[in-house]
Amino acid sequence: MFSALRNRKVQIAGQTVVITALVGGTAAFVGLNKQVDLTVDGETQQVRTFSDSVSDVLESNDVDVAKEDQVQPGADADVTRGMNIIVNTSKDIDLTLDGVTTQESTTGNTIAEALADLGVDPEGAEVSEDLDATLADGENSEFSVVTPKTVTVVADGDRTPVDVTAATAQDVLDEANIELGEQDTVSTPLSAPVSDGSVVEVLRTATDEKTETETIAKKVTEKNDSSLPRGEKKVETEGRDGKREIVYSVTTVNGEEVKREKKSEEVVAEAKNEVVLIGTKEPEPAPAPEDNSDEGSDDSGDAGDSGDSGESEESGESGDSGESDTGDRSPMTTAEIKAMLGGPGSKWYQVVKCESNFNPKAVNQQNNAHFGLFQFKQATWNSVGGSGNPADAHPREQFKRAKILQAQAGWGQWACA
């Protein structure tokens, strides 16, 4: 009886050990088996794992991770129940941004995520594909983005800021409704990309024919003439300038001439040579002054007789007018010149007032051929012993030569006399 009872206890104890082992094993299985969410390139699945690290979970589910891929929370992180493991693989794309194509890499799963990853704001831009389009398995790996920008267009004298969504200079001109002529050019190639703040200038080019008239200068030949007083000039044969018409091909850019090419020329009026005679005749020497020292001679008495009623004024005016040439060459004032001439009652005074208004350096403005107080011609001045230009001589010297001329030729030398 005792023996049977003891065997029954042993049996119960054995069963208890087996049951305890089964219960303990089940609890361990349940504790080590964890459920996690695994998201690869946007696709999520629930998996159970006994793995302790994220890398083990990825390996056990055949997810190969490259260096460029993005893993969250990290390949070395411990796995916990309910964890969300995210893997975004690196994808190669060809992005054409505002006309410039580059090869880029991104861990984004859509075009919108790729642009955000590359720092491109699609707000207001023109994108060739839908922003939600997926990049998985190489899909939509080529796309273009044209961003909005402000470009200044310079054309036809106007400078206009234009808000455009354009990639190239040609796109800018199209949106600004600017048409180009056959010869027109642009400051930048039409296919060149543009950015915000760019300037696109239209260069209006035109080529036209232009006719111009040029003067053919006459040739002047000088010949010596011994019949003319030395230094005097006389036109023997009148000449004239000729004319020629020249046709040019003129290229302009925005109205400014940049190129000129001669196409033809034609003489429409021949030039005629002019012949000028140059006087070489030496002036006649001045007559020797009369010797008036003989008080008893008849001529001396006649010249010095100022009492004859009919001749006194004439002979007095042709004399020294009360002042002889003392050799003094110091500068003279107008008042001194007037006094030298004998004052308002003297004929010399009237002549000089009319001829030069008492200006010893006067030059006739009509012909530039009469000089000084008495308006000598150069040849006449030389003939009475003067040298150089009469206007450069001292007033006393001019008066001296005038009196010699008056003695030789009379008062008729001056229209004002």
Side-chain angles (χ1 to χ4, degrees), residues 334-373:
T334 300
E336 290 174 336
I337 292 174
K338 291 179 179 179
M340 176 188 71
L341 297 171
S346 166
K347 181 171 284 191
W348 288 116
Y349 184 101
Q350 300 300 326
V351 168
V352 173
K353 178 179 180 181
C354 174
E355 294 288 346
S356 64
N357 196 27
F358 307 106
N359 179 8
K361 294 190 175 296
V363 178
N364 187 292
Q365 297 300 311
Q366 295 181 346
N367 56 27
N368 292 322
H370 295 82
F371 309 93
L373 289 169

Side-chain angles (χ1 to χ4, degrees), residues 73 133 214 298:
E214 292 186 355
D298 292 339

